[in-house]
Amino acid sequence: MGIYLDYAATAGMSAAALAAYCAAAGVSGIPCGAPDRVIGNPSSLHAPGRRARQIVEDSRETIAECLGANPSEVVFTNGGTEANNLAIKGAFLAAKDKNTILVSAIEHHSVLEPAAWLAQYCSANLKQIPVDKHGIVDLAALKKEANNDVALISVMLANNEIGTIEPIGEIVVLAREKQIPVHTDAIAALGQIPINFGELGVDMLSVAGHKVGGPAATGALLVRRKMRLEPLIHGGGQERGLRAGTQDVPAIAAFAAALAEATTELAAKTAKIAKLRDELVASILANIPSATLEGPPIKSGQRLPGNALFTFAGAHADDLLLLLDLAEIAASTGAACTAGVTQASHVLLACGVSEQAAHGALRFTLGPNTTQAEIAHLCAVLPGIVAQARKATLAR
Amino acid sequence: MAAALAVEAGHEVTGVHMALLRNRQIFREGSRGCCSIEDSLDARRVADKLGIPFYVWDLSEEFADLVVADFLAEYSKGRTPNPCIRCNEHVKFEILATRAQALGFDAVATGHYARLIPGNNGVVELHRSNNLPKDQSYVLAAAGPERLHHCYFPLGDFYTKAEVREQAAKRGLAVSNKPDSYDICFIPDGDTRGFLRERLGAKKGPILDVSGVQVGEHDGAYAYTVGQRKGLALGRPAADGLPRYVVSTDPSRNIVVVGGREHLVVTSIKGSDPVWYLDKPPGPHSQDSAGVAVTVQVRAHGREVSARMFATADGAVQFDLVGDMLAGIAAGQSIVAYQGTRVVAQATVGQSG
């Protein structure tokens, strides 16, 4: 029996998403090749085109409603990474007279890398704003850097590794004084906490479908109408000219269905997940010596409900993962994994965790299907696995 | 392929790729070595097809300390090390194996061409592969029976390359067309002398003939290997018109000596740090005047010659060649002694004469 505790990596397609996908792809008993049922190109004006556009626009409205946005603010992209790239590069390139980008030190690579690329190829002045030991961005430092040269501030709504929920409302207030656009990467937060684009007051917000049961390579950037943005992909002018290319109709339908399901009764779902997560944290801290929960405390209200990331002093993450894998438990280091060689997480290092401790990081992320029995099983086997990994460290 | 056979034999297998090099450029371009990123992706694809877990272990620090640093130190002492042997001995069958055992694995299986047979008294026997042209017992011998006891070479029983390819193709494994690698993985352009000069620095010195007359100049004695003929850049030909070879180097005085082929001929080789695969190592010369009849090999894929093997009083081993002689043996090389297909001893060449 396999146990999946890596929902933050991807949640897997939900039944609702799969059904919506099949319906829009014409595979649920309706061959899309039948002339009167063809799902056309959403840009075509004829009936098959209109059928396709109907699905895309229904989906756009659903997604907008789930996220407190106006449908015209939803720009579909091929995934979260593309949404972040469009936000960072598009906003910088459009702000011709401003040269500074402010990002938090714990942003995802899909924010940090496009920003670093702009610094290298477009002479952007990139500044990383430090965070405290729980990963909360230093607002005083951000305020100090927020001058008239800033083209964009990008701070994530919640961190994907340690689950820290950032004070975006306060960031928006200080940015408004200087009329600086704010982008927030809400990919990790999606389906974990309520997201209301209008109330948050940010100018751009990224989401990805596969974190809530939609297909991978679906995503959207929510963009205020007044936001000046250069497109990265040029062509037929789809998505208000911000993202050219024929939309993937079934995938978009599935994304919308998944998000609608994930955000229905969100509070009840996340309360259940948080309860299991709290049990897991309590058990690990009680039963495994020198285990540390990194990131914000679980009762602080500053942490995503499904996230728990630990460091186990003296154990290496790759040994822990291998042993968990052999025990059929899927977890993660939470950190970037380039060609399989685990690196110390830039997020943990930014929080002041030592490089040595960061190498023993293990992230469990719970999802709507996580059961009490699964958590109990993990709690039963993990002490032995950590002990064996520590023994393996001594053998190095 | 080795992993496929291990899985089919009913073992619980986990694939591990050793990441040995930090340099991204080598990762991307260096398909020569056994540790490039391309190879790790190929290996992962195979593991996925076999349905086994696959992990990359970062052993680059250990590799830099134990193999690359040793390689430079040995060359700077005028010796000619074999880094692949060193890697097998200290990284693959030591660090990797120890870590695997600590994680609960029983054995390390690799795709080496050699055979392991349970011997008497629990000492494992290392034999040449049935596929003699591919045999790798020479580079494995230094690992010693204690380390090899926990190893498993599923490919060693195959007789031909065609057979291996056929078996791989049958399983849909597409790696069967990869070229064999004989290069040093951390010197991707193959320029060993350039690699050494860059790290040890150029140091001009004389090239002398055997009578002590200067016949040329070199830029670092460490970069020359006994038996080497190419790259000497001697302006004038020898008086007898015959090719000249490096017959000795002395890095402490930064001298390279060249001479005719006759100066390279070796009839006796002394080896240090012997590794025994025999229940009972032979006695010293005086007590056991006949020695043990063996054949010896001093290079990977080199020819075998007959010898008598003796232990020496100082704990080393001596090989007196009988019949065919060997030429151009450098200190630091590995010498492996066989009886038939079985490895009986290994040592590091010290003096020869």
Side-chain angles (χ1 to χ4, degrees):
Chain A
M1 175 197 71
I3 295 179
Y4 189 71
L5 290 167
D6 200 12
Y7 281 89
T10 193
M13 282 264 262
S14 69
L18 199 55
Y21 189 99
C22 290
V27 294
S28 56
I30 312 161
C32 68
D36 59 333
R37 306 302 304 203
V38 170
I39 306 289
N41 183 322
S43 296
S44 298
L45 299 177
H46 46 55
R50 290 197 297 278
R51 276 197 284 276
R53 190 159 62 253
Q54 182 85 26
I55 296 171
V56 170
E57 296 312 316
D58 283 351
S59 302
R60 196 186 307 279
E61 285 170 18
T62 302
I63 288 167
E65 196 187 327
C66 292
L67 299 176
N70 190 303
S72 64
E73 292 170 331
V74 178
V75 175
F76 286 120
T77 64
N78 279 22
T81 289
E82 191 192 309
N84 282 341
N85 269 264
L86 175 57
I88 304 297
K89 292 181 191 158
F92 180 82
L93 295 174
K96 291 192 175 65
D97 51 339
K98 296 181 193 293
N99 203 43
T100 300
I101 303 172
L102 304 180
V103 299
S104 88
I106 62 168
E107 292 302 302
H108 189 265
H109 288 290
S110 58
V111 166
L112 292 179
E113 290 298 317
W117 184 88
L118 288 170
Q120 187 176 352
Y121 291 100
C122 305
S123 311
N125 174 28
L126 172 61
K127 290 207 167 139
Q128 291 199 6
I129 307 301
V131 297
D132 70 9
K133 66 174 179 170
H134 293 151
I136 305 280
V137 71
D138 181 343
L139 289 172
L142 183 64
K143 188 163 187 170
K144 221 169 97 188
E145 298 289 351
N147 56 42
N148 290 330
D149 188 52
V150 178
L152 181 71
I153 294 172
S154 181
V155 175
M156 61 207 328
L157 188 49
N159 181 267
N160 53 304
E161 294 185 26
I162 52 175
T164 308
I165 300 168
E166 299 292 347
I168 299 299
E170 292 170 62
I171 292 169
V172 167
V173 169
L174 75 86
R176 272 205 184 132
E177 287 172 21
K178 308 274 181 184
Q179 296 183 316
I180 301 169
V182 177
H183 165 251
T184 190
D185 166 3
I187 294 166
L190 193 67
Q192 293 271 312
I193 54 174
I195 296 174
N196 190 304
F197 183 58
E199 286 175 12
L200 266 178
V202 294
D203 298 279
M204 295 181 289
L205 182 148
S206 306
V207 290
H210 73 119
K211 304 296 187 188
V212 289
T218 56
L221 182 67
L222 308 188
V223 188
R224 290 231 182 284
R225 295 299 297 265
K226 65 170 174 54
M227 179 71 207
R228 285 189 303 154
L229 203 57
E230 278 294 321
L232 304 184
I233 299 188
H234 304 89
Q238 289 89 346
E239 301 298 309
R240 288 167 46 213
L242 288 172
R243 206 290 178 187
T246 303
Q247 294 93 342
D248 184 347
V249 179
I252 285 171
F255 174 20
L259 184 62
E261 188 187 41
T263 50
T264 303
E265 293 171 19
L266 182 66
K269 282 180 195 154
T270 55
K272 181 198 144 208
I273 290 172
K275 186 169 167 286
L276 290 176
R277 190 269 316 268
D278 295 353
E279 284 174 23
L280 173 67
V281 171
S283 167
I284 287 177
L285 295 182
N287 297 318
I288 301 181
S290 305
T292 308
L293 179 75
E294 305 294 351
I298 50 175
K299 300 294 187 194
S300 62
Q302 291 175 326
R303 187 171 195 130
L304 294 178
N307 173 289
L309 185 141
F310 301 90
T311 51
F312 299 98
H316 281 261
D318 41 3
D319 290 342
L320 292 168
L321 284 185
L322 186 148
L323 293 168
L324 282 166
D325 191 3
L326 295 178
E328 294 186 56
I329 297 169
S332 160
T333 61
C337 169
T338 313
V341 177
T342 49
Q343 314 275 342
S345 151
H346 71 284
V347 174
L348 292 177
L349 297 180
C351 294
V353 176
S354 74
E355 176 138 3
Q356 204 178 3
H359 276 293
L362 195 57
R363 182 188 71 178
F364 299 102
T365 45
L366 289 64
N369 298 326
T370 303
T371 65
Q372 186 127 36
E374 288 176 331
I375 296 301
H377 180 69
L378 172 64
C379 291
V381 299
L382 193 61
I385 285 173
V386 172
Q388 185 155 23
R390 284 177 169 156
K391 215 172 75 191
T393 300
L394 298 179
R396 286 190 180 202
Chain B
M1 187 58 204
L5 293 171
V7 170
E8 285 164 25
H11 299 287
E12 246 184 83
V13 182
T14 292
V16 170
H17 178 84
M18 299 189 296
L20 300 179
L21 302 176
R22 281 271 164 86
N23 185 327
R24 293 274 147 201
Q25 208 64 11
I26 296 178
F27 265 156
R28 202 164 305 135
E29 293 169 5
S31 56
R32 287 158 173 264
C34 49
C35 32
S36 75
I37 206 81
E38 300 296 326
D39 289 328
S40 107
L41 297 179
D42 286 348
R44 188 169 70 181
R45 178 77 185 121
V46 169
D48 287 348
K49 281 193 182 183
L50 297 174
I52 61 172
F54 177 79
Y55 286 86
V56 176
W57 285 2
D58 181 2
L59 301 178
S60 54
E61 247 171 68
E62 291 88 343
F63 186 75
D65 290 349
L66 294 167
V67 180
V68 183
D70 173 81
F71 181 80
L72 292 170
E74 284 286 285
Y75 261 107
S76 66
K77 281 187 261 174
R79 296 158 65 89
T80 305
N82 182 326
C84 301
I85 291 176
R86 180 97 187 158
C87 178
N88 278 337
E89 184 183 353
H90 291 278
V91 180
K92 211 170 285 171
F93 298 120
E94 181 63 42
I95 292 170
L96 177 105
T98 306
R99 185 166 160 198
Q101 277 172 35
L103 289 170
F105 294 94
D106 304 319
V108 170
T110 67
H112 282 104
Y113 288 86
R115 287 180 296 139
L116 292 172
I117 298 173
N120 301 326
N121 308 335
V123 179
V124 73
E125 290 185 9
L126 173 64
H127 284 258
R128 286 194 192 273
S129 165
N130 286 335
N131 182 348
L132 283 176
K134 298 272 281 179
D135 172 56
Q136 289 173 303
S137 58
Y138 174 80
V139 293
L140 293 167
E146 289 82 18
R147 292 191 184 97
L148 294 179
H149 190 69
H150 301 283
C151 292
Y152 173 34
F153 304 135
L155 297 188
D157 294 330
F158 286 105
Y159 283 88
T160 65
K161 200 167 179 168
E163 203 180 341
V164 178
R165 285 192 177 191
E166 188 196 21
Q167 292 293 322
K170 212 160 84 183
R171 291 166 175 81
L173 304 177
V175 286
S176 41
N177 287 325
K178 286 211 318 202
D180 295 327
S181 163
Y182 297 116
D183 291 307
I184 297 172
C185 67
F186 54 86
I187 310 179
D189 59 3
D191 179 11
T192 304
R193 216 194 288 189
F195 180 85
L196 293 170
R197 194 182 308 118
E198 207 173 283
R199 283 156 183 82
L200 299 175
K203 212 165 89 185
K204 287 205 184 301
I207 298 180
L208 309 177
D209 69 12
V210 284
S211 61
V213 175
Q214 181 167 353
V215 293
E217 205 180 43
H218 63 78
D219 51 16
Y222 54 77
Y224 293 81
T225 290
V226 171
Q228 176 180 339
R229 182 181 156 193
K230 287 179 183 156
L232 297 178
L234 302 174
R236 291 165 292 135
D240 55 11
L242 292 171
R244 281 170 297 188
Y245 301 83
V246 174
V247 297
S248 68
T249 65
D250 182 350
S252 64
R253 290 160 60 210
N254 202 27
I255 286 170
V256 173
V257 180
V258 297
R261 193 170 167 74
E262 70 279 9
H263 294 288
L264 291 174
V265 172
V266 163
T267 57
S268 177
I269 300 167
K270 194 168 169 189
S272 60
D273 304 315
V275 173
W276 300 107
Y277 286 80
L278 294 169
D279 301 341
K280 189 172 153 286
H285 212 293
S286 54
Q287 294 167 17
D288 192 356
S289 57
V292 177
V294 295
T295 54
V296 296
Q297 184 178 332
V298 294
R299 287 185 190 87
H301 309 285
R303 70 192 172 102
E304 274 179 276
V305 298
S306 299
R308 293 264 159 200
M309 177 171 73
F310 305 93
T312 63
D314 56 357
V317 59
Q318 186 180 324
F319 299 94
D320 291 343
L321 304 190
V322 292
D324 283 357
M325 299 295 122
L326 289 168
I329 298 174
Q333 280 178 222
S334 179
I335 180 165
V336 178
Y338 293 85
Q339 282 177 341
T341 60
R342 181 186 172 192
V343 171
V344 293
Q346 182 275 344
T348 304
V349 172
Q351 301 158 337
S352 51

